Amino acid sequence: MKDLKKYAIIPATPEQLYLALTTEITARLWTGDVVSIDASVNGEFSLWDGAITGRFLELVPSSKIVQEWYFGETDKPSIVTLKLHEHKKGTSLEVRQTNIPDEDYENIAEGWEDPYISYLIDFYTDED
């Protein structure tokens, strides 16, 4: 099992980014795919038509989201912690994911960059 840490600057306020990560309609807009979100403690979620599934463990509005991601038959759950910090260019998103199965690590690491983070940046980038 491996752990991962990533940082990104998203051109949105922490409030906007929190809503994008916890509101079904907004998540559908930035992912461009099928999404299901029950943003409550123990509520389940699914992104990209089931490519990412899990449940919410902790929700601190505009600040922190803790999720358990499902990986089949693993002994320990993979825990994702998303921290949102104000930044002069929007929001600094801190991603920490623990207990990633070795065989899934490379795919998960790449997936955080593209599509997850890149889609959020594109969604909030002003294209006038």
Side-chain angles (χ1 to χ4, degrees), residues 39-87:
S40 60
V41 173
N42 292 319
E44 295 195 343
F45 66 90
S46 171
L47 300 174
W48 283 287
D49 198 19
I52 299 173
T53 60
R55 68 185 179 106
F56 292 99
L57 300 178
E58 183 180 352
L59 293 156
V60 180
S62 306
S63 178
K64 183 178 176 184
I65 299 167
V66 181
Q67 302 170 325
E68 178 181 273
W69 284 22
Y70 302 144
F71 281 106
E73 303 284 324
T74 58
D75 292 338
K76 295 173 84 178
S78 182
I79 304 298
V80 172
T81 302
L82 304 169
K83 292 184 179 178
L84 290 60
H85 306 281
E86 279 190 53
H87 186 276

Side-chain angles (χ1 to χ4, degrees), residues 14 89 91 107 115:
K89 294 183 178 178
T91 300
N107 190 36

